[in-house]
Amino acid sequence: MTWLYVPGDRPEVVAKALHCGADVVVVDLEDAVAPDRKDRALRATAELLSDPAPGTAPVHVRVNALDGPRAETEIRTLAALPGLAGLRLPKVQGPADIHRAAGWATTAARPAAGPALTGRLATGRRARTPGAAAAPLTTGTTHPARAARTARTARTARTAAPGSATATLTPAAPAPAALPATPALYALLESALGIEHAFAIATAHPALRGIALGEADLATELGVRDEAGLAWPRSRTVVAARAAGLAPPPQSVYPDVADLDGLARSCARGRALGFLGRAAIHPRQLPVIEAAHLPSPEEVEAAAEIVRAAGAEGGAQALPDGRFVDAAVVAGARRVLSLAERRN
C-alpha cells in the first residue's frame, strides 16, 4: 500500500527507510540522483542487495530510462542479486520496453553481452525474491489476460528465429522455466504514448506485476494545469491494470511533503477512482496514505453486514435498508474486510 522512494546515492538514508514502516522501499537511481553520482548509486545499491534480507521491507529499484545508456547495465547488475524484490521501469512507452528489460533481467545470471559491474555483485543466481511483492505470479484461478500473456511469451520463445530482434529479448526456454531468474517488473507510464498502450504494456510479459502513473512528466507533456486534466489517464491506468489481472495501481507521489491535509484529500480522490495505496517521498506521508486508503469503520461494518447476509441466505437479495446484494457486491465487501485487517 505504501511505496517509499529514497535516493540510491545516499546509503544512510536508504538504511533508515528500510525500517520506517513502508510496505516497499524503492531505491531510486533515476530522478533522485545527480548524473555525476549515478555510478556511485549503482554500486551502493548492488552492495545493499547482495544481502538476501536487506531490511524489514522488500526493496525495489527504479532504474534509469530504458532507452538511455544506463538501464541495461543497471538491470544486468541488479537482477540476479538475492535482496532485490522488483524493478521499476520508468517512461515505458510500449510492450517492447518490457520485453527489452525482461531480456536483460532474465539473462543477468549468465554472462552479460554488454557492460556490467564485475565481481560477485554482478553474477550468481537469484537465491530468492523476498517480500510480498515477489509472490508467485499465479495462485488459484489464473486471470484470462495473465494466462494469455504467459502462453504468448512461451510461443515467442519457441518460434523466434536466431539472430532476430525478438530472439535477443526473449528467454531461450519457455517462459515458465525462465521466470525464477526474472525479478518482478513494474511499469511506470509517464507519457501520452504510454497511456495509449496501457493494456498492451500490462499484458506484455508474465514478469510484469504492476503498472503505475508517473504524473509529473505526463502532466508536462499534456500541458495539464490541475488534477482534473489527469482524470482520464488515471482511470485508464486503473482499468488497464484490472483488465490485465494486476493489482490496483498505487497513486503517483504527492510532491508537497509539508501539506499532509492536501495529501489526504488527494488520496481520497485517488481511492474513489480505484487506486490502492500511493508512492511517497518522505516517511511522514506514510500514515496519511495508509489511513486514506484503508476502509473506515462504517465501511467495515457495512461490508460485514453484506457478508453475513450472503452467508445466511445465499444468492441475490435485498438488505433491510433496501440495498441489493449480489455476488459482485459480496466480493467487494470481502475485499473491504481483507483491507481492514491491516488495522489489527
Side-chain angles (χ1 to χ4, degrees):
M1 182 170 292
T2 54
W3 313 67
L4 179 62
Y5 277 85
V6 287
D9 62 336
R10 298 182 63 188
E12 73 285 357
V13 176
V14 175
K16 292 179 181 179
L18 289 171
H19 302 281
C20 72
D23 291 306
V24 177
V25 171
V26 183
V27 178
D28 192 8
L29 303 181
E30 193 203 17
D31 291 343
V33 179
D36 63 347
R37 294 177 63 88
K38 288 187 181 289
D39 289 339
R40 178 186 306 183
L42 179 56
R43 288 193 297 270
T45 303
E47 181 177 355
L48 172 74
L49 297 179
S50 65
D51 184 344
T56 58
V59 179
H60 290 196
V61 176
R62 179 167 72 171
V63 298
N64 281 280
L66 299 178
D67 60 354
R70 294 185 176 271
E72 180 177 1
T73 295
E74 291 168 347
I75 292 174
R76 289 189 184 277
T77 299
L78 301 174
L81 298 181
L84 180 73
L87 289 169
R88 299 185 74 77
L89 311 176
K91 301 175 175 60
V92 173
Q93 303 272 42
D97 290 334
I98 302 300
H99 285 284
R100 184 182 306 118
W104 295 334
T106 303
T107 58
R110 299 186 289 275
L117 297 185
T118 58
R120 65 182 180 89
L121 295 180
T123 60
R125 285 197 67 82
R126 181 176 176 81
R128 67 177 180 87
T129 304
L137 282 174
T138 58
T139 56
T141 302
T142 302
H143 189 283
R146 295 177 72 79
R149 179 165 71 248
T150 301
R152 185 166 60 249
T153 302
R155 288 197 302 270
T156 302
R158 289 194 300 269
T159 60
S164 69
T166 302
T168 64
L169 299 178
T170 308
L179 282 177
T182 306
L185 304 177
Y186 296 82
L188 299 177
L189 313 183
E190 306 183 61
S191 67
L193 186 58
I195 295 298
E196 285 297 302
H197 290 160
F199 180 72
I201 291 168
T203 57
H205 194 278
L208 198 286
R209 307 289 181 86
I211 61 174
L213 278 176
E215 292 187 352
D217 286 3
L218 179 62
T220 298
E221 180 176 333
L222 298 179
V224 169
R225 295 186 176 183
D226 55 37
E227 288 199 15
L230 292 173
W232 187 84
R234 288 172 174 172
S235 292
R236 172 67 176 138
T237 303
V238 171
V239 171
R242 303 306 284 148
L246 302 174
Q251 289 180 266
S252 185
V253 298
Y254 189 81
D256 188 345
V257 298
D259 183 13
L260 298 183
D261 290 338
L263 171 63
R265 291 191 296 270
S266 177
C267 286
R269 290 191 292 269
R271 185 182 172 210
L273 286 173
F275 289 95
L276 180 60
R278 189 163 201 160
I281 53 176
H282 195 283
R284 70 165 62 110
Q285 295 179 315
L286 301 178
V288 178
I289 293 169
E290 181 159 324
H293 279 275
L294 288 179
S296 67
E298 294 77 15
E299 290 173 310
V300 173
E301 177 54 35
E305 181 183 6
I306 290 170
V307 171
R308 286 194 300 267
E313 301 293 338
Q317 58 186 291
L319 297 180
D321 62 3
R323 285 177 295 159
F324 181 78
V325 174
D326 61 9
V329 174
V330 174
R334 294 189 190 279
R335 286 195 296 271
V336 169
L337 296 180
S338 178
L339 277 174
E341 292 178 0
R342 286 178 61 101
R343 293 190 185 276
N344 300 330

